[in-house]
Amino acid sequence: MRPPSLDAVKRAIGAEVARTVYSYEERDVALYALGIGAPADPLDQDELKFVYEKSGAGFQVFPTFPVVFAYEFNRNVPTGEIAGIEYNPMMVVSGEQHLRLLQPLPTSGTVTSTVTVSDIFDKGSGLLMMTAIDSYDERGKQLAAARASLFMRGLGGFGGERGPSSRWLVPDGAPDFIAQEATLPTQALLYRLAGDDNPLHADPPMAAIGGYEKPILHGLCTMGFAARAVLRHCANNDPSRFESIGLRFSQPVFPGDTLATEIWRRPQGEIAFQTKVKERGVVVLSHGQLRLRD
């Protein structure tokens, strides 16, 4: 597929590409938490509270749950067109993800989200589309602000700006914690039930078109595993302390891989982290930053 014209790119920037309404119940909250690996120990009330509505610790929403609010937009990704930009859906991968919580998350409700193309960059080997997702509750209060990017392989070279390059160095010294957790061979099939049903994560022939030996795990699922590790080791598994998270998806994860999240504490509630696949020794999440409230 040929890269878009520069005029098409300019027209796409600033376009509102979706306005979604997402209604959820306790079941959806629990299904998302199961999709990101909770509970590591089904007898641990501190983990059970994310998946069991009658938990003795009180049922709570895992704080990265807002990434599902605009999954209706994700269902448009397999169509091969966003804001006039055409692409091969099997050549699209997640680039970066940022999420900030602005209000406590209720265990059920209706959320309205707007999705806007905030920028597009020419990375040479591909096109990087930046999106802004702002989500509001039924009273019009903003619950969450997310910023995400889609990397469309093979569409670079259209003559656009390359965009900023962020440099992230692994913190000095050994990690304060290394949290290891195996994903299930069926992890992607479980996580997709939260709403991201891109066939790249379920269908072997479709994954092969994208150049993968088998379906890959959703990047946001891997992010959920890392966020669980940080919250457990640095915040006593208290979701009310979560303020924001940001990271880069650097390599694919396959269902069944063991994730090792390296965690460094920083002053004033800042946590740095990266996640590796233990079996291959590759970094799959980099530039990890998570901020905790006091």
Side-chain angles (χ1 to χ4, degrees):
M1 185 168 286
R2 298 176 59 185
S5 70
L6 189 55
D7 284 343
V9 167
K10 289 178 178 178
R11 287 194 298 270
I13 296 173
E16 182 180 300
V17 291
R19 185 176 293 264
T20 69
V21 178
Y22 177 73
S23 294
Y24 67 95
E25 301 176 347
E26 292 179 342
R27 179 182 181 276
D28 302 295
V29 170
L31 188 60
Y32 169 76
L34 287 167
I36 60 170
D41 178 357
L43 302 181
D44 182 358
Q45 289 286 357
D46 225 23
E47 282 262 298
L48 201 59
K49 66 187 177 188
F50 298 123
V51 300
Y52 178 46
E53 71 281 2
K54 296 180 181 178
S55 166
F59 188 51
Q60 297 183 57
V61 183
F62 193 80
T64 54
F65 180 62
V67 298
V68 312
F69 288 166
Y71 266 169
E72 189 62 37
F73 165 70
N74 284 25
R75 292 195 175 99
N76 291 334
V77 173
T79 66
E81 185 272 332
I82 297 174
I85 304 297
E86 296 183 350
Y87 55 87
N88 181 339
M90 296 304 104
M91 299 295 283
V92 176
V93 293
S94 297
E96 295 188 358
Q97 178 74 39
H98 300 266
L99 171 67
R100 183 168 176 242
L101 285 189
L102 302 173
Q103 304 287 338
L105 296 172
T107 57
S108 63
T110 298
V111 179
T112 299
S113 300
T114 58
V115 184
T116 304
V117 177
S118 56
D119 223 328
I120 294 176
F121 299 118
D122 187 345
K123 293 298 186 180
S125 62
L127 178 153
L128 187 68
M129 178 179 287
M130 315 296 294
T131 59
I133 304 110
D134 296 300
S135 300
Y136 301 84
D137 67 13
E138 294 153 289
R139 298 169 296 171
K141 281 193 172 184
Q142 189 168 2
L143 280 174
R147 303 294 179 262
S149 63
L150 295 172
F151 186 69
M152 302 174 178
R153 293 177 291 160
L155 293 190
F158 54 85
E161 294 184 14
R162 183 169 178 82
S165 58
S166 56
R167 191 162 179 257
W168 188 83
L169 298 176
V170 176
D172 292 333
D176 294 300
F177 306 100
I178 300 177
Q180 293 191 28
E181 189 170 1
T183 63
L184 298 170
T186 55
Q187 199 75 54
L189 297 175
L190 179 58
Y191 183 82
R192 73 188 297 271
L193 298 180
D196 189 341
D197 48 13
N198 188 329
L200 180 64
H201 306 292
D203 191 329
M206 298 301 282
I209 293 173
Y212 300 107
E213 62 186 65
K214 56 185 176 180
I216 62 175
L217 192 60
H218 306 70
L220 291 176
C221 179
T222 305
M223 185 187 85
F225 271 81
R228 286 180 47 242
V230 174
L231 203 68
R232 184 168 63 249
H233 287 283
C234 300
N236 296 316
N237 236 6
D238 181 358
S240 70
R241 294 196 59 201
F242 178 99
E243 181 175 326
S244 63
I245 189 172
L247 52 83
R248 177 177 295 176
F249 304 102
S250 52
Q251 291 287 336
V253 174
F254 296 103
D257 284 346
T258 300
L259 300 175
T261 299
E262 300 173 343
I263 302 167
W264 291 265
R265 287 183 181 273
R266 289 293 176 259
Q268 301 177 328
E270 291 281 357
I271 308 295
F273 68 91
Q274 67 177 8
T275 301
K276 298 177 178 178
V277 166
K278 179 181 177 181
E279 293 83 356
R280 301 194 301 278
V282 296
V283 176
V284 294
L285 297 181
S286 65
H287 296 64
Q289 299 285 338
L290 191 149
R291 174 179 282 275
L292 297 171
R293 296 185 172 92
D294 294 333

